[in-house]
Amino acid sequence: MDIHTCYVVDIKRQLKAVPDKKTQELQVSGNHRVDGRLMQTTADLCLEALTFCVSVFQREWDILGGLSGVVRKRTADMMLHSTRDNTARYPEFDLLFANMPAYTRRTIIAKALGIVSSYRSNLANW
């Protein structure tokens, strides 16, 4: 199975925001150009993580396919990410993508689950 993406929107400028000392609300103090190389590196890393997750979820679909919604996402997250209370079944993810923010990891997991679920249902319908 190949993964193809179609994201073509370039982020040109990024706002520079600093918290107000009294109210702690963010105040925009200007903007600056976004480093295109950094954005490309981030996109490549996320695509590599997505590819890894899709291959894992394809292998583990017998377990994940019978679950639904939040339980499926939580089980998939526990397969990939080790915590104090959980040892991951695939610890390579934490080694390959160290210090990945939790919100990014969870978004990639949800996207990978959607890709595999769609692939499986389309294959069954075919």
Side-chain angles (χ1 to χ4, degrees):
M1 177 171 51
D2 294 328
I3 300 173
H4 301 279
T5 62
C6 60
Y7 298 107
V8 293
V9 177
D10 288 334
I11 300 173
K12 304 271 187 215
R13 314 247 353 124
Q14 181 176 357
L15 295 177
K16 182 177 180 181
V18 292
D20 185 80
K21 293 191 189 285
K22 292 181 182 178
T23 63
Q24 293 301 316
E25 292 181 8
L26 290 177
Q27 301 295 321
V28 176
S29 63
N31 61 46
H32 56 83
R33 288 193 55 77
V34 173
D35 184 1
R37 293 172 301 171
L38 181 62
M39 292 300 287
Q40 186 61 49
T41 302
T42 302
D44 292 343
L45 186 71
C46 287
L47 185 58
E48 188 179 332
L50 181 66
T51 303
F52 181 88
C53 289
V54 166
S55 66
V56 166
F57 299 158
Q58 270 286 79
R59 282 194 300 267
E60 299 291 339
W61 195 249
D62 291 340
I63 296 169
L64 296 171
L67 304 174
S68 63
V70 177
V71 177
R72 181 185 286 175
K73 290 177 189 173
R74 179 73 181 133
T75 304
D77 193 24
M78 290 173 64
M79 284 181 177
L80 299 174
H81 182 64
S82 294
T83 62
R84 183 182 59 212
D85 301 327
N86 176 55
T87 302
R89 183 180 281 184
Y90 296 92
E92 308 88 49
F93 185 86
D94 283 336
L95 296 174
L96 291 171
F97 309 105
N99 300 323
M100 180 177 278
Y103 61 87
T104 305
R105 184 184 72 246
R106 290 179 184 135
T107 301
I108 289 170
I109 287 171
K111 181 69 174 174
L113 287 170
I115 288 170
V116 174
S117 177
S118 175
Y119 171 77
R120 292 288 183 132
S121 65
N122 286 334
L123 185 63
N125 290 337
W126 184 61

